[in-house]
Amino acid sequence: MTDTLALAAELIRRPSVTPDDAGCQALLAARLRALGFACETMASGPDDFRVTNLWALRPGAGPDAPVLVFAGHTDVVPPGPLDRWTSDPFEPAVRDGCLWGRGASDMKGSLAAMVVACERFLAQRPEAPLAIGFLLTSDEEGPARDGTVVVCEALRARGQRLDWCIVGEPTSVRRTGDMIKNGRRGTMSGRLTVKGIQGHIAYPHLARNPIHLLAPALAELVQTRWDDGDAYFQPTSWQVSNVHGGTGASNVIPGSVTLDFNFRFGPASSVESLQARVAAILARHGLRAGEDYALDWTVGGLPFLTPRGPLVEAVSAAIHDVTGSRPELSTSGGTSDGRFIARICPEVVELGPPNASIHKVDEHIALEDLEALTAIYQRVLQRLAGEA
């Protein structure tokens, strides 16, 4: 059993469903302290949702050594129906050339590969001119209010410099390294409540149906092309996630209807421009803010982008060194904690194993992907430390 496989298995064995870290960070911190890292735990959140965060830093040779941070999360999503798993989701199993268990791909395999890559690199270059950090949280799969964002604010307040960051999210498609994320779209949700007048369905003149009021505006919202995207980002998308109206009775016109929707957007549109355009569409169909509707917005994250530069080039070259192929750069998919790190770090990319089984029953990672990821991370360290 390789070092990476053994560590990944130990992490899987800890049932760290959000926000419970279940001892994962203590295990990793022990390995990092042995390498000379100073480790700091930052707990956050209320007693009934206590989040564990770890910040670890090992100085590089020289006061001006650049800082590379490995970032990730120790929490996992719930396993779902246990009887649908081939084996216990929190008892790691090796079969058919894969490691099976909750978190194998998302993202305990990545965390194990990061730590082992650092162990191998520092065994060869203990005086490397590169500082290395680890930023880990147990609140990535949850609301993400007390996780990475809290650590980033603390690091900002103390003036901690970060130059590069690799987030271990599962970004690959078919084999490790075929895709990396050099940015992510922003996410903004809205809850629109249109007001009407409840009444008997046989006497519509005595009522005001909010669903009918919403329908024309909804049709335009669905058909609207918000922007054309750009060289890195897809066009902005607008999707309805839920519509709720009615009392449960078939003969009652409801008094209100609520529409939940979400934007995924790149730099071609801003939070302010999207909100203004939604308000204009509602007004165009006779809906007046405050009188006919209420609209609450939640901005979950802003878009970020790391264009080609030192980090993207080092990661791409490292992937080529190990696999012989160049990765595709992408900003697709959901959000990640990279959105918080990008506020204090100028270059952030995400690189991890294939994501086909994440959040599913029988989550797994191929052993060859686990070892390839370790080798890629080690090669990134070497390249950023000045080794050709």
Side-chain angles (χ1 to χ4, degrees):
M1 181 178 289
T2 67
D3 291 345
T4 305
L5 174 57
L7 181 53
E10 281 302 309
L11 292 170
I12 290 171
R13 194 168 281 118
R14 289 159 169 77
S16 54
V17 176
T18 313
D20 187 4
D21 171 69
C24 291
Q25 291 175 29
L27 173 65
L28 297 172
R31 299 279 285 256
L32 294 174
R33 287 192 185 95
L35 298 174
F37 283 78
C39 298
E40 175 185 0
T41 295
M42 301 182 189
S44 182
D47 291 341
D48 61 349
F49 200 90
R50 200 65 173 161
V51 173
T52 305
N53 302 302
L54 175 67
W55 167 246
L57 182 64
R58 184 187 192 276
D64 297 323
V67 182
L68 168 67
V69 173
F70 288 105
H73 59 91
T74 53
D75 61 320
V76 297
V77 297
L82 298 180
D83 59 359
R84 293 182 55 197
W85 283 75
T86 303
S87 55
D88 188 329
F90 296 113
E91 185 54 47
V94 177
R95 61 178 185 274
D96 303 326
C98 296
L99 171 64
W100 302 74
R102 175 58 83 221
S105 288
D106 189 15
M107 55 175 288
K108 293 181 175 181
S110 295
L111 297 181
M114 290 171 172
V115 171
V116 172
C118 286
E119 290 173 338
R120 294 176 181 175
F121 170 73
L122 291 171
Q124 298 172 347
R125 294 287 304 277
E127 301 300 322
L130 178 68
I132 307 171
F134 275 78
L135 197 171
L136 307 178
T137 183
S138 66
D139 183 30
E140 196 274 346
E141 299 290 6
R145 291 190 297 264
D146 292 288
T148 298
V149 65
V150 169
V151 181
C152 288
E153 287 305 312
L155 297 181
R156 184 205 300 273
R158 66 180 66 165
Q160 174 63 56
R161 168 186 164 194
L162 305 182
D163 296 285
W164 306 303
C165 179
I166 298 176
V167 185
E169 287 293 341
T171 60
S172 301
V173 182
R174 294 182 178 83
R175 54 181 264 180
T176 291
D178 62 5
M179 178 179 287
I180 64 175
K181 306 289 186 179
N182 65 321
R184 291 281 189 168
R185 295 175 295 174
T187 175
M188 178 170 62
S189 296
R191 169 162 285 189
L192 172 66
T193 300
V194 177
K195 307 167 189 177
I197 299 175
Q198 183 174 317
H200 195 294
I201 208 159
Y203 302 97
H205 60 289
L206 299 178
R208 191 165 182 254
N209 194 319
I211 298 176
H212 293 191
L213 297 175
L214 171 63
L218 178 58
E220 183 173 348
L221 288 165
V222 170
Q223 296 298 322
T224 296
R225 186 171 182 85
W226 302 93
D227 58 48
D228 295 322
D230 58 28
Y232 287 103
F233 287 88
Q234 301 169 336
T236 290
S237 69
W238 185 88
Q239 290 290 316
V240 173
S241 59
N242 190 39
V243 181
H244 178 75
T247 64
S250 63
N251 61 350
V252 177
I253 292 172
S256 67
V257 61
T258 298
L259 179 79
D260 292 320
F261 60 86
N262 177 267
F263 281 106
R264 294 300 167 105
F265 62 100
S269 292
S270 67
V271 166
E272 295 77 15
S273 69
L274 293 173
Q275 291 182 356
R277 291 179 69 185
V278 169
I281 290 172
L282 295 176
R284 193 152 50 243
H285 293 280
L287 295 173
R288 298 161 296 177
E291 296 183 44
D292 300 313
Y293 74 87
L295 178 52
D296 297 317
W297 294 99
T298 301
V299 180
L302 299 176
F304 71 91
L305 176 69
T306 298
R308 289 192 176 276
L311 183 58
V312 169
E313 294 304 329
V315 171
S316 298
I319 291 170
H320 183 264
D321 292 343
V322 174
T323 69
S325 301
R326 298 282 180 181
E328 175 186 351
L329 301 184
S330 174
T331 60
S332 63
T335 59
S336 77
D337 277 359
R339 69 191 189 275
F340 304 125
I341 300 168
R343 299 176 187 174
I344 62 170
C345 183
E347 297 185 41
V348 179
V349 301
E350 300 173 26
L351 165 62
N355 54 29
S357 70
I358 64 172
H359 291 208
K360 294 182 178 180
V361 167
D362 281 346
E363 181 180 350
H364 60 278
I365 184 172
L367 301 185
E368 63 180 7
D369 284 314
L370 202 57
E371 296 309 313
L373 191 58
T374 306
I376 292 169
Y377 288 152
Q378 182 181 355
R379 192 70 184 112
V380 172
L381 286 162
Q382 292 168 338
R383 283 191 166 273
L384 291 177
E387 298 182 21

